[in-house]
Amino acid sequence: MRSSTALANLFTLVASILSLSTASGQTPPRIGGRMTEPLEKYEMPPAALGTYRLDTSPRMIKPFGVFTSYQVNVDANGNNIVGDAANEPSIAVDPTDGNKITIGWRQFDTYTSNFRQSGYGYSTDAGVTWHFPGTLQPGVFRSDPVLDFDDTGNFFYLSLLVDTFCGDIWRSMNGGQSWTERSPNGGAHSGDKEWFTVDKTPTSMGHGFQYQFWTGFFACDFGEFSRSTDGGATWQSPINIPNDPDWGSLDVASNGYLFIGGNDEGSSFWCIRSTNAQNPGVTPTFDQVTTVNMGGSIVYGGAVNPGGLAGQTFLAVDRSGGSTNNNIYMVTSVQPFGAGNGTDVMFVRSTDGGVTFSAPHRINDDPINHNKWHYFGTIGVAPNGRIDSVWLDTRNAANNTDSQLFYSYSTDGGVTWAPNVAVSSSFTPLEGWPQQNKIGDYITVVSDNSGGDVAYSATFNFNPTRGQHEQDVYFVRVSPSGGPTPTPTATATPTATVTPSSTPTASPTATPTATPRPTPTPRAQPTPRPHPTPGPRP
């Protein structure tokens, strides 16, 4: 990492450039082909004692058709906390008991400060009621929460220490009710926009291993990739990944092969493979780099999320054991080539281990309108091979910014997709900002054989004191049975090449009685560049 003085000077320079670009309505510039503005940075102190959790209102329960969204970030009595903010939710579900769910998010104790912490909540009744005990480390500036789980039901929470860009892993063995720090503060290396995955295949040599990658330009020390072979307690010295991918995710196939999906913050995307990361006796190497056409470019600073991304690259591997076993899927919300505004949710698949990928397929099925935003697109793969995709969508908004959560699924490995279904009421993403002009950078879904569990941020609650809606985290269950009978549309056949080496409010309704769903079988869950010699950490 650069010296604190040099880094501060860089931030100041780029912030000045970004302010000019924002005023002109242009995408923030890149230096040397890459954006140099960190999406996480230390700025403000925590909220003053005695200013948090003073005012409450009934928690929001938001029905929409056959779907119901339940507010997650609630107080000890299950009420909404007036004046806070929460975004960037990541979800984990116990594969041995689907009633046990946990969600982590960026917790802002007050919208008047940009100081954020690692919030978490848990449910024991399949997401109907939620408990928010607090944060992993009260008063510690943390961000970029990413959760995953192993095949026995342990939950893991990767959290970034913003002042150093160092991360660490926390583990819960009781369904997310309490957490223990596995690695010492900063011991997991890490960097901005980090993501990780756990090898859940019992027959894999790397069973239980954790793999992580991040944006190398803003890293804890150096490199872009690290591995833990002991459940997150210790992490190997970081290494570089070919092509320095950013803003993506990673997953493990049933044979233990690791696949990373990322991009160059523009129109270049890659799927990168390591066959030996599962071998604890060697330093991982990357033996296959495939260039992937996603049909457009990543967007940062779009109209629906001015201070953040319109989406990241999500990669997931099918481990169903059936005809689609080890298929690799990638989804990204991109601005189509030649379009001036808006994004589409684009999907590609590989049926040959990442050697080639299909042409990009547009999952959102509304008429093409480049003023519409389909953002925060993400996917989950069920144990039976079904693919679930969810995203935020402005298709029904006259102002092209008010958003709804939408859902689609595929039961044939992504060849065809079910008609899109709106899952939530409309909300504005442009209110509730906690001194940071965004509603996060992602949402997440975990799929099982009958449906998917989704964590997303929305602004259904209204704060009369502020005169705005508030950012909160919500849980909703989606499933094929909640939508119409599919009339699928075809996805193109593989064509890619290989290069060697994502408002109205409603009055809260009564909390319904929980109906535990059957215990699912284990499921699949998807979830950077050469660096100068590191200098002293700031």
Side-chain angles (χ1 to χ4, degrees), residues 296-321:
S297 300
I298 287 283
V299 173
Y300 170 66
V304 289
N305 203 36
L309 298 169
Q312 298 188 16
T313 301
F314 284 88
L315 180 149
V317 180
D318 182 309
R319 293 188 292 273
S320 64

Side-chain angles (χ1 to χ4, degrees), residues 147-509:
L147 275 66
D148 204 349
F149 51 89
D150 63 21
D151 51 303
T152 65
N154 293 313
F155 292 160
F156 297 92
Y157 191 135
L158 175 61
S159 178
L160 187 72
L161 288 160
V162 178
D163 54 338
T164 62
F165 291 104
C166 298
D168 42 71
I169 286 283
W170 298 65
R171 181 180 66 186
S172 175
M173 302 176 69
N174 58 5
Q177 298 185 41
S178 61
W179 297 84
T180 300
E181 188 174 13
R182 290 286 289 162
S183 56
N185 279 2
H189 303 290
S190 204
D192 196 24
K193 292 293 159 287
E194 87 290 359
W195 214 266
F196 86 111
T197 192
V198 180
D199 186 339
K200 303 175 180 67
T201 303
T203 56
S204 167
M205 181 189 302
H207 179 229
F209 287 9
Q210 298 180 7
Y211 306 105
Q212 179 191 178
F213 98 93
W214 56 84
T215 299
F217 195 86
F218 294 100
C220 171
D221 32 31
F222 57 92
E224 301 128 1
F225 175 85
S226 186
R227 174 187 68 188
S228 174
T229 62
D230 54 11
T234 61
W235 291 79
Q236 74 169 69
S237 181
I239 59 176
N240 291 315
I241 304 175
N243 291 354
D244 315 322
D246 295 335
W247 300 348
S249 63
L250 60 175
D251 201 6
V252 182
S254 61
N255 56 11
Y257 289 4
L258 172 69
F259 293 89
I260 298 173
N263 59 84
D264 72 340
E265 302 155 13
S267 61
S268 295
F269 297 84
W270 305 284
C271 176
I272 301 170
R273 183 184 73 182
S274 174
T275 59
N276 66 357
Q278 63 183 312
N279 184 347
V282 303
T283 297
T285 57
F286 301 95
D287 60 347
Q288 179 175 285
V289 180
T290 304
T291 300
V292 181
N293 175 17
M294 296 302 300
S297 300
I298 287 283
V299 173
Y300 170 66
V304 289
N305 203 36
L309 298 169
Q312 298 188 16
T313 301
F314 284 88
L315 180 149
V317 180
D318 182 309
R319 293 188 292 273
S320 64
S323 61
T324 57
N325 190 59
N326 284 340
N327 278 6
I328 304 164
Y329 308 122
M330 291 173 62
V331 159
T332 310
S333 290
V334 299
Q335 184 178 87
F337 294 125
N341 295 293
T343 51
D344 288 323
V345 180
M346 305 300 288
F347 168 87
V348 297
R349 74 185 189 280
S350 174
T351 61
D352 56 10
V355 176
T356 61
F357 278 80
S358 67
H361 173 76
R362 183 176 180 262
I363 295 180
N364 53 286
D365 59 6
D366 53 325
I368 293 176
N369 182 341
H370 295 312
N371 292 317
K372 299 299 182 180
W373 294 85
H374 313 85
Y375 62 109
F376 289 179
T378 187
I379 52 173
V381 181
N384 60 12
R386 189 194 69 256
I387 313 169
D388 294 317
S389 182
V390 292
W391 63 93
L392 298 183
D393 195 304
T394 72
R395 71 179 67 183
N396 295 322
N399 61 7
N400 296 329
T401 55
D402 288 350
S403 304
Q404 293 174 273
L405 185 70
F406 266 72
Y407 167 60
S408 183
Y409 65 92
S410 173
T411 57
D412 57 9
V415 176
T416 57
W417 287 84
N420 299 176
V421 177
V423 174
S424 79
S425 299
S426 178
F427 64 91
T428 173
L430 304 181
E431 295 183 3
W433 292 337
Q435 299 298 305
Q436 190 181 48
N437 297 348
K438 67 177 183 177
I439 196 167
D441 289 312
Y442 51 84
I443 61 177
T444 50
V445 57
V446 171
S447 300
D448 57 49
N449 282 340
S450 60
D453 294 321
V454 182
Y456 72 107
S457 290
T459 60
F460 298 131
N461 281 307
F462 183 73
N463 182 341
T465 301
R466 189 181 186 187
Q468 286 192 7
H469 296 83
E470 297 191 325
Q471 286 185 10
D472 295 297
V473 170
Y474 290 87
F475 166 87
V476 65
R477 173 79 175 173
V478 298
S479 67
S481 62
T485 301
T487 305
T489 56
T491 302
T493 55
T495 60
T497 59
V498 59
T499 302
S501 335
S502 241
T503 315
T505 63
S507 300
T509 58

Side-chain angles (χ1 to χ4, degrees), residues 1-13 163 535-538:
M1 187 120 184
R2 298 159 177 76
S3 69
S4 58
T5 300
L7 189 57
N9 290 338
L10 176 62
F11 286 177
T12 300
L13 171 62
D163 54 338
R537 298 179 185 174

